[in-house]
Amino acid sequence: SMLDSSELRAGVKLSGVVDSIDASAMTVKLSPHLKAVVPALHMSDATHKKAHKKFKVGQTVSGAVLEVQPEKRKILMTMKKSLVDSKYPIIGSLSDVSAGMKSHGVVTGIRDDGIFVTFYNSMSGMIGESQLGLKSSQSPHDAFSVGQIVKARVLGANIKTRKLRLTLLTKQQAADVAARSDKLGGLAVGEQVRGVVKQVLKRNEHALPRDEKDDTSENSEGGEEGEEEVVGYIVQLDTSAKNASSETFGRLDVGHL
């Protein structure tokens, strides 16, 4: 049947004949009146710059719709086999996104602090360095290359910017990273917690302004004259239920007793 651009959507598989090709792009004739453009980055799974040399005009090729731009009457196509044949659901719009889902995307940019991953219809997001699963000696530039296919997990999305929050970590790896970086040991504000007093804080142990010390010296709750006033306690908090890997301490001021 005759193809029409209005019938095409991201992820639809199709085939055609190479109409023209150079290092920057390939034009594929899908029907007598319809062509698609394959950007250099999407000519193959390989990330080298000579991928276009594997093809010639008149050759039949197959792939999937990468993006439809109706206003420009333009169709972009991908021939990355790992993307076209992915068993995971595609991300082509915000309506395709749900927290926790996995999808294959293409690395389209690399910075010192993370990588950019793009899916269908230019849906994209940046993955910060802590979410890449790198070894301590690695940088994003060491581990990734532009054009590489990665399996990302969606953490969320910004509806206004259409940008995705992503991770390459498994759920267990993500939990371990959170535990290491969370100085609160997984505790949330307002949550009840038990603890053991490890240190008694007295007024002269705090860098309070001098006039503040003077104003309260006569109203000390310390008891006998000259006894240092207790102003708080350092408490080791019980975060065992949070599987926290490090000790967590908090300060309890006497005003909250």
Side-chain angles (χ1 to χ4, degrees):
S1 59
M2 194 75 72
L3 276 175
D4 184 86
S5 59
S6 63
E7 301 171 5
L8 298 177
R9 65 184 186 282
V12 170
K13 295 183 179 181
L14 36 68
S15 62
V17 177
V18 177
D19 191 57
S20 65
I21 185 170
D22 59 30
S24 63
M26 177 194 304
T27 301
V28 178
K29 198 169 187 177
L30 304 175
S31 73
H33 305 289
L34 192 61
K35 295 179 180 181
V37 175
V38 183
L41 200 63
H42 283 272
M43 289 185 190
S44 79
D45 273 342
T47 58
H48 57 74
K49 296 180 180 180
K50 296 183 179 180
H52 67 286
K53 292 187 176 294
K54 298 194 306 179
F55 305 97
K56 60 184 180 180
V57 173
Q59 180 179 347
T60 298
V61 294
S62 59
V65 176
L66 179 65
E67 184 172 354
V68 179
Q69 301 174 351
E71 69 285 354
K72 297 181 180 179
R73 296 178 59 82
K74 187 175 182 179
I75 298 167
L76 297 183
M77 178 176 167
T78 179
M79 290 166 46
K80 282 186 172 294
K81 189 172 177 60
S82 297
L83 198 61
V84 175
D85 295 336
S86 173
K87 302 299 182 184
Y88 292 102
I90 73 165
I91 295 176
S93 68
L94 283 175
S95 61
D96 295 329
V97 176
S98 60
M101 72 177 290
K102 297 176 183 177
S103 187
H104 280 118
V106 182
V107 176
T108 49
I110 304 173
R111 301 195 324 195
D112 291 339
D113 57 347
I115 65 174
F116 291 93
V117 176
T118 304
F119 303 88
Y120 291 89
N121 282 335
S122 297
M123 294 291 295
S124 66
M126 181 184 174
I127 306 180
E129 190 174 10
S130 66
Q131 297 296 316
L132 296 176
L134 300 176
K135 296 178 181 177
S136 58
S137 60
Q138 283 183 312
S139 75
H141 294 281
D142 298 327
F144 299 94
S145 56
V146 172
Q148 181 179 342
I149 297 289
V150 294
K151 181 177 67 178
R153 183 162 56 88
V154 176
L155 301 176
N158 185 315
I159 296 176
K160 289 184 178 180
T161 63
R162 295 180 72 246
K163 296 299 181 184
L164 306 174
R165 290 194 300 110
L166 307 164
T167 182
L168 298 188
L169 304 180
T170 64
K171 289 184 178 180
Q172 184 56 55
Q173 287 175 323
D176 291 343
V177 168
R180 288 196 299 271
S181 62
D182 184 6
K183 295 181 179 179
L184 293 179
L187 296 171
V189 174
E191 186 174 353
Q192 291 188 353
V193 64
R194 293 177 179 273
V196 177
V197 174
K198 291 295 184 179
Q199 182 183 350
V200 177
L201 301 177
K202 298 183 179 181
R203 181 162 295 280
N204 68 349
E205 296 174 325
H206 286 258
L208 293 176
R210 180 168 300 278
D211 57 350
E212 195 173 325
K213 290 182 181 180
D214 294 341
D215 288 345
T216 56
S217 60
E218 295 181 1
N219 300 315
S220 170
E221 297 177 2
E224 298 180 10
E225 184 177 354
E227 186 175 344
E228 294 174 345
E229 180 187 0
V230 174
V231 294
Y233 306 90
I234 296 298
V235 181
Q236 182 175 354
L237 305 177
D238 179 6
T239 57
S240 57
K242 303 290 182 179
N243 296 315
S245 58
S246 59
E247 294 181 333
T248 303
F249 294 86
R251 168 177 165 165
L252 174 61
D253 290 332
V254 293
H256 289 278
L257 294 174

